[in-house]
């Protein structure tokens, strides 16, 4: 690794703004999974919270692209990261297998393999399936990134593909993407991954007011387009321009805060993997214990799940050895 590249990534690691973006995305995922059952077709607080959660998955891929593209590393680095993902999923599946009622080898294998393609009890791990594919492509993506003109051309082409996909969704409905599990919707994931690299290379400022403006547009767009595409799932909006602008505005505004030395952000950033792993089951528990008669029940579930997931994950990480387990 040359000196400039090394300094660049040491600086990126010290900038806790990246950690804050991951934390925003982490709670965005909880918003998606906790409010989806309470939105119906009405414009309500739960719908707003769910719609704003659309930024979560794109932000995760943007952060990965920001940190990985342009980095000097040995050819074995992607393999090492893939092994880390596999190790984590295998151990997490063992934990689930031990507390479940299906103590068979077949059930365990189905849990491990299914998790990567959004199947089974750990279906939220589809994200890791996508990251394995991206790590396999990383040498090629990194080569493209280093060729500036080629990189810009590829990013523009991917952006046009995104626009084409969203236009097709508006014309033909969610079935344009629904038959393809999220793991393999690489036109979305690679676009945001490369967008993250672009935001690292070309630094610019965005006024904070861009975030609420873009957020408003995103919520209104989903409210009026859900009936058109015949679904309420926000995953079909990742390829839309308003969501792209929303993600960029959050990323750039938070990145330019250049936060350093914040203890709360440091502690929360460590909790990403356990929160991502356990939040589904904590949301299920909240659903069972929060009275259905409460107004804005989705918001109550969301807040309860955020607090419970954070506290549970914090305590879980205090168990000896868990910091090594929940590290990729």
């Amino acid at each position: 690794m040359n000196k400039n590249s090394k300094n660049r990534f040491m600086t990126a690691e010290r900038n806790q703004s990246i950690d804050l973006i991951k934390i925003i995305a982490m709670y965005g995922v909880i918003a998606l999974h906790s409010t989806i059952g309470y939105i119906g077709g009405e414009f309500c607080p739960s719908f707003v919270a769910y719609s704003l959660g659309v930024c979560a998955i794109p932000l995760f891929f943007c952060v990965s692209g920001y940190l990985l593209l342009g980095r000097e590393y040995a050819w074995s680095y992607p393999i090492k990261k893939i092994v880390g993902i596999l190790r984590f999923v295998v151990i997490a599946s063992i934990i689930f297998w031990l507390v479940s009622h299906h103590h068979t080898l077949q059930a365990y294998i189905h849990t491990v393999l299914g998790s990567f393609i959004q199947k089974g009890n750990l279906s939220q791990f589809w994200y890791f399936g996508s990251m394995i594919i991206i790590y396999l492509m990383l040498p090629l993506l990194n080569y493209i990134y280093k060729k500036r003109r080629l990189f810009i051309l590829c990013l523009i082409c991917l952006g046009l593909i995104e626009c084409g996909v969203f236009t097709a969704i508006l014309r033909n409905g969610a079935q344009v993407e629904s038959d393809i599990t999220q793991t393999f919707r690489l036109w979305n994931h690679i676009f945001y991954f490369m967008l993250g690299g672009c935001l690292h290379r070309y630094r610019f400022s965005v006024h904070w007011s861009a975030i609420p403006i873009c957020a408003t547009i995103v919520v209104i767009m989903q409210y009026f387009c859900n009936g058109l595409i015949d679904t309420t799932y926000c995953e079909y909006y990742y390829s839309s321009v308003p969501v792209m602008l929303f993600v960029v505005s959050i990323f750039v505004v938070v990145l330019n805060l250049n936060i350093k030395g914040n203890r709360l952000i440091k502690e929360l950033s460590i909790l990403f993997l356990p929160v991502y792993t356990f939040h589904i089951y904590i949301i299920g528990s909240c659903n069972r214990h929060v009275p259905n008669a409460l107004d804005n029940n989705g918001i109550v579930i969301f807040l309860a799940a955020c607090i419970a997931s954070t506290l549970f994950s914090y305590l879980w990480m205090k168990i000896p050895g868990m910091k090594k387990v929940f590290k990729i």
Side-chain angles (χ1 to χ4, degrees), residues 135-147:
Y135 276 122
L136 290 173
M137 298 177 63
L138 187 57
L140 173 61
L141 296 175
N142 208 29
Y143 171 81
I144 293 172
Y145 183 78
K146 292 177 181 179
K147 306 293 182 180

Side-chain angles (χ1 to χ4, degrees), residues 87-88 91 317 319-328:
R87 175 182 58 83
F88 168 74
I91 295 175
M317 293 297 277
I319 299 174
M322 283 302 148
K323 287 187 177 180
K324 290 184 178 180
V325 172
F326 283 79
K327 182 179 180 181
I328 295 178

Side-chain angles (χ1 to χ4, degrees), residues 59-80:
L59 281 175
F60 280 138
F61 285 108
C62 274
V63 167
S64 296
Y66 181 93
L67 294 174
L68 291 173
L69 287 176
R71 184 174 180 176
E72 297 293 339
Y73 46 75
W75 65 268
S76 58
Y77 175 79
I79 303 301
K80 179 181 177 181

Side-chain angles (χ1 to χ4, degrees), residues 123-159:
S123 60
Q124 69 268 31
F125 285 175
W126 70 262
Y127 169 76
F128 297 125
S130 292
M131 283 306 301
I132 286 175
I133 296 173
I134 287 178
Y135 276 122
L136 290 173
M137 298 177 63
L138 187 57
L140 173 61
L141 296 175
N142 208 29
Y143 171 81
I144 293 172
Y145 183 78
K146 292 177 181 179
K147 306 293 182 180
R148 295 195 175 218
R149 291 184 180 179
L150 178 61
F151 172 73
I152 293 299
L153 177 61
C154 289
L155 187 60
I156 291 173
C157 289
L158 283 170

Side-chain angles (χ1 to χ4, degrees), residues 28-29 31-32 48-59 192 218-219 221-222 233-240 242-243 246-247:
V29 168
L32 293 178
V48 173
Y50 179 79
S51 298
L52 294 178
V54 72
C55 69
I57 298 302
L59 281 175
Y192 283 107
V218 163
V219 172
M221 173 187 66
Q222 292 187 65
Y233 290 112
C234 69
E235 66 197 61
Y236 300 109
Y237 292 94
Y238 294 160
S239 55
S240 67
V243 170
F246 184 36
V247 170

Side-chain angles (χ1 to χ4, degrees), residues 69-228:
L69 287 176
R71 184 174 180 176
E72 297 293 339
Y73 46 75
W75 65 268
S76 58
Y77 175 79
I79 303 301
K80 179 181 177 181
K81 298 301 288 185
I82 291 172
V83 170
I85 290 174
L86 294 174
R87 175 182 58 83
F88 168 74
V89 172
V90 166
I91 295 175
S93 298
I94 290 175
I95 295 173
F96 174 82
W97 183 71
L98 290 175
V99 299
S100 72
H101 300 292
H102 305 285
H103 295 164
T104 66
L105 180 60
Q106 184 179 18
Y108 174 74
I109 293 173
H110 285 172
T111 298
V112 174
L113 298 181
S115 65
F116 292 115
I117 55 173
Q118 207 174 6
K119 304 289 185 181
N121 296 296
L122 293 175
S123 60
Q124 69 268 31
F125 285 175
W126 70 262
Y127 169 76
F128 297 125
S130 292
M131 283 306 301
I132 286 175
I133 296 173
I134 287 178
Y135 276 122
L136 290 173
M137 298 177 63
L138 187 57
L140 173 61
L141 296 175
N142 208 29
Y143 171 81
I144 293 172
Y145 183 78
K146 292 177 181 179
K147 306 293 182 180
R148 295 195 175 218
R149 291 184 180 179
L150 178 61
F151 172 73
I152 293 299
L153 177 61
C154 289
L155 187 60
I156 291 173
C157 289
L158 283 170
L160 292 175
I161 291 172
E162 288 283 85
C163 292
V165 169
F166 187 64
T167 300
I169 290 173
L170 291 177
R171 290 172 60 91
N172 302 302
Q175 63 267 24
V176 171
E177 286 188 329
S178 62
D179 290 336
I180 303 173
T181 185
Q182 286 199 71
T183 305
F184 303 112
R185 296 177 194 171
L186 297 177
W187 51 89
N188 291 324
H189 311 327
I190 294 177
F191 169 76
Y192 283 107
F193 184 84
M194 295 185 73
L195 181 61
C198 182
L199 294 175
H200 199 162
R201 172 173 284 167
Y202 303 103
R203 299 291 292 269
F204 58 93
S205 297
V206 173
H207 194 270
W208 66 266
S209 61
I211 296 178
I213 291 172
C214 291
T216 302
I217 294 172
V218 163
V219 172
I220 293 173
M221 173 187 66
Q222 292 187 65
Y223 179 72
F224 285 104
C225 291
N226 279 349
L228 187 63

